[in-house]
Amino acid sequence: MITIDVMGRTPIYEQICQSICREISLGAYKEGDRIPAARALAKELGLNPNTVAKAYGILERDGIIYSVAGRGCFVAKHKDEVADRQTAEFSDLVGRLLESGIKPDKLKEIIDIKAEERGNT
Amino acid sequence: MITIDVMGRTPIYEQICQSICREISLGAYKEGDRIPAARALAKELGLNPNTVAKAYGILERDGIIYSVAGRGCFVAKHKDEVADRQTAEFSDLVGRLLESGIKPDKLKEIIDIKAEERGNT
Amino acid sequence: MITIDVMGRTPIYEQICQSICREISLGAYKEGDRIPAARALAKELGLNPNTVAKAYGILERDGIIYSVAGRGCFVAKHKDEVADRQTAEFSDLVGRLLESGIKPDKLKEIIDIKAEERGNT
Amino acid sequence: MITIDVMGRTPIYEQICQSICREISLGAYKEGDRIPAARALAKELGLNPNTVAKAYGILERDGIIYSVAGRGCFVAKHKDEVADRQTAEFSDLVGRLLESGIKPDKLKEIIDIKAEERGNT
DNA sequence: GTGGTCTAGACCACG
DNA sequence: GTGGTCTAGACCACG
């Protein structure tokens, strides 16, 4: 299920990218699966079709999906790109925070707190 | 030392905010210390004075610095705001990643790798 | 209706903030309502768009409105921030007056006089 | 005792005005009493002499003190101006808040809370 | 069309 | 000299 948060700074097209990646990561979409048609998804979410099309274009550029003219968009083989996409931002941010003198343990503590909030292990 | 990346999505004023916070966090600027004059910093970085003024205004609203008319801007007492500001983005991102099914241990692993790269403990 | 007093110490952008809060407080703008476009309001009031943009930026940072790129600014859910914003200055001033030895009853008397002038209960 | 808060928006000269008024209001300075010499007060508080001179000039203009060349500044006869000065801002603010739809009782409630905090009656 | 950011430059209050 | 405010106007991302 994809939900969009119009508040907050993250652009909608980026939220769509992240949602699709999350679905793949969670196994909801597997390699070769067809993902929702851009226009259908736009209608369902009440978004401008251009916004969804932009998201799909980025995902294709990133090697996460591939499009077949007249048939739709499909999940590409390698899951590595998905994981990379999801952790790249995290990795960069961690680097910047460590550079700011924040202790690694402090960051791990925040992870534990967040994980506990979600009942995650 | 403050360096600005004109490319990339992070606004220049936000980069200035983060840089000042980093300096405070690292102890380069202590409580009550005067930070560089907005106009001087703008000149040094080749930026418009308004851009630096915007950053300083945000830091003041966030309780990290306070300004004294005719004298300059100074680091406020409580360092909590600095830590909060620096970790807020991290906390949000961790939440989103956990929601995507990424394991907390995977994130901690990335932190360890980054910390090791930097020779950090 | 928003009216601006160009004279007086209160900055124009702060007057805009207060006016928007007043409209929300009075129920003219409800949760989720769109407030006037920054550029349109600037034109209507004969102000520079930047001045209105500054006000809107502050209101967003204060959690009173949120902006959606390409669509406009909207009233956020929680009205608490509006009340807090409106009474913070009052609370501070009362503190200072009590410190000056003015009796609480004297202040309440002034409130009653003002309320009666306005036919308020 | 006069204390100056360099943080916060209130200009220092205005804080001096308010402090002198508070002393008069509290009875520390009575009618005809000499108030501290501007230069001495500036030295004591670590302020620019011009700042104190400005405050004294405003108080004289407001009829709260009068200066005698070569002798100093003295508290004027009528205490009404002191009370007026202190409550004028309050009265204005109350007017604006009532106009914003805030209930008089809400304001009285804040006064009670502040009075209780100070152990005031 | 909408808000977000930035440059350029002016004037002012404060001290 | 310092920050605060404001005007004028440009370009961009988003949708």
Side-chain angles (χ1 to χ4, degrees):
Chain A
M1 194 57 193
I2 296 181
T3 56
I4 297 299
D5 170 30
V6 288
M7 300 164 72
R9 317 185 184 185
T10 313
I12 293 176
Y13 73 84
E14 178 59 26
Q15 291 184 54
I16 296 170
C17 289
Q18 289 172 1
S19 293
I20 300 290
C21 284
R22 193 185 62 226
E23 300 297 306
I24 296 172
S25 180
L26 291 170
Y29 295 138
K30 298 190 201 315
E31 298 174 14
D33 277 3
R34 187 170 174 277
I35 65 172
R39 288 183 193 168
L41 186 58
K43 201 164 193 178
E44 186 189 328
L45 298 175
L47 300 175
N48 188 315
N50 292 333
T51 309
V52 181
K54 181 171 185 177
Y56 281 19
I58 291 172
L59 288 173
E60 187 171 14
R61 187 203 62 191
D62 288 351
I64 291 167
I65 63 174
Y66 61 91
S67 65
V68 180
R71 302 235 352 251
C73 290
F74 302 83
V75 177
K77 276 186 187 171
H78 308 291
K79 281 182 71 172
D80 296 344
E81 280 81 2
V82 178
D84 285 352
R85 195 174 204 288
Q86 291 180 310
T87 56
E89 187 186 353
F90 178 80
S91 187
D92 283 352
L93 182 57
V94 169
R96 265 182 284 134
L97 290 174
L98 293 178
E99 201 182 337
S100 298
I102 293 189
K103 300 294 178 200
D105 286 346
K106 173 72 184 166
L107 299 180
K108 291 181 186 177
E109 197 182 300
I110 294 173
I111 293 173
D112 285 332
I113 292 170
K114 280 283 173 181
E116 205 172 337
E117 275 177 25
R118 298 179 35 83
N120 215 328
T121 316
Chain B
M1 195 55 192
I2 295 180
T3 56
I4 297 299
D5 169 29
V6 193
M7 314 289 288
R9 350 183 167 190
T10 312
I12 295 175
Y13 71 82
E14 179 59 26
Q15 292 182 54
I16 295 170
C17 288
Q18 288 172 1
S19 292
I20 299 291
C21 283
R22 193 185 64 230
E23 300 296 306
I24 296 171
S25 182
L26 290 170
Y29 294 135
K30 298 190 200 314
E31 295 175 13
D33 278 2
R34 188 170 172 278
I35 65 173
R39 280 172 171 75
L41 185 58
K43 203 166 194 175
E44 185 189 328
L45 298 174
L47 299 174
N48 187 287
N50 283 337
T51 305
V52 181
K54 184 174 185 174
Y56 281 18
I58 290 171
L59 288 174
E60 185 168 20
R61 279 182 173 274
D62 286 352
I64 290 168
I65 64 172
Y66 63 91
S67 68
V68 182
R71 295 194 40 205
C73 290
F74 302 83
V75 176
K77 275 185 186 173
H78 307 291
K79 283 180 75 169
D80 296 345
E81 279 82 5
V82 178
D84 284 352
R85 198 176 202 289
Q86 291 179 311
T87 55
E89 188 185 353
F90 178 79
S91 187
D92 283 352
L93 182 57
V94 168
R96 264 183 285 133
L97 291 173
L98 293 179
E99 201 185 339
S100 299
I102 293 187
K103 299 294 179 200
D105 286 347
K106 172 72 183 166
L107 299 179
K108 291 183 185 175
E109 199 182 301
I110 294 173
I111 292 174
D112 285 331
I113 292 171
K114 280 283 175 181
E116 207 171 336
E117 275 178 25
R118 296 180 35 85
N120 213 327
T121 315
Chain C
M1 195 55 192
I2 295 180
T3 55
I4 296 300
D5 169 30
V6 193
M7 313 291 287
R9 354 183 164 189
T10 313
I12 293 175
Y13 70 83
E14 179 59 26
Q15 292 182 53
I16 296 171
C17 288
Q18 288 172 1
S19 292
I20 299 290
C21 284
R22 193 185 62 227
E23 300 295 307
I24 296 172
S25 183
L26 290 171
Y29 295 136
K30 298 190 200 316
E31 297 175 15
D33 278 1
R34 188 171 172 277
I35 64 173
R39 281 171 170 75
L41 186 58
K43 203 165 194 175
E44 186 188 327
L45 298 175
L47 299 174
N48 187 288
N50 284 337
T51 305
V52 180
K54 183 172 185 177
Y56 281 18
I58 290 171
L59 287 175
E60 185 167 20
R61 281 185 172 272
D62 287 353
I64 292 168
I65 64 172
Y66 63 92
S67 67
V68 181
R71 294 194 41 206
C73 291
F74 302 83
V75 176
K77 274 186 186 171
H78 307 291
K79 284 181 73 170
D80 296 345
E81 280 81 4
V82 178
D84 285 353
R85 197 175 203 288
Q86 292 180 310
T87 56
E89 187 186 352
F90 178 79
S91 187
D92 283 352
L93 181 57
V94 168
R96 264 184 283 133
L97 290 174
L98 293 179
E99 201 185 338
S100 299
I102 292 186
K103 299 295 179 199
D105 286 347
K106 171 73 183 167
L107 299 179
K108 291 183 186 178
E109 197 182 302
I110 294 173
I111 292 174
D112 285 331
I113 293 170
K114 280 284 175 179
E116 206 171 339
E117 275 177 26
R118 296 180 35 83
N120 213 327
T121 315
Chain D
M1 194 55 192
I2 296 181
T3 55
I4 298 297
D5 171 30
V6 288
M7 301 165 71
R9 319 184 182 183
T10 312
I12 293 175
Y13 73 83
E14 178 60 26
Q15 291 184 54
I16 296 171
C17 289
Q18 289 172 1
S19 292
I20 299 291
C21 285
R22 193 185 62 227
E23 300 298 306
I24 296 172
S25 180
L26 291 171
Y29 294 138
K30 299 191 199 315
E31 297 174 14
D33 277 3
R34 188 170 174 275
I35 65 173
R39 287 182 195 171
L41 186 58
K43 201 165 194 176
E44 185 189 329
L45 298 174
L47 300 175
N48 188 314
N50 292 333
T51 308
V52 181
K54 181 172 185 176
Y56 281 19
I58 290 172
L59 288 173
E60 187 171 13
R61 186 204 63 192
D62 288 351
I64 291 167
I65 63 172
Y66 62 91
S67 68
V68 181
R71 303 241 344 256
C73 291
F74 301 84
V75 176
K77 275 185 185 172
H78 307 291
K79 282 181 71 172
D80 296 344
E81 279 82 3
V82 178
D84 285 353
R85 196 176 204 287
Q86 291 179 309
T87 56
E89 187 186 354
F90 178 80
S91 187
D92 282 353
L93 182 57
V94 168
R96 266 182 283 134
L97 291 174
L98 293 179
E99 201 182 339
S100 297
I102 292 188
K103 300 295 179 199
D105 286 347
K106 174 73 184 166
L107 299 180
K108 291 182 185 176
E109 198 183 301
I110 293 173
I111 292 173
D112 285 331
I113 292 170
K114 280 284 174 181
E116 204 171 339
E117 274 178 26
R118 298 181 35 83
N120 214 328
T121 315

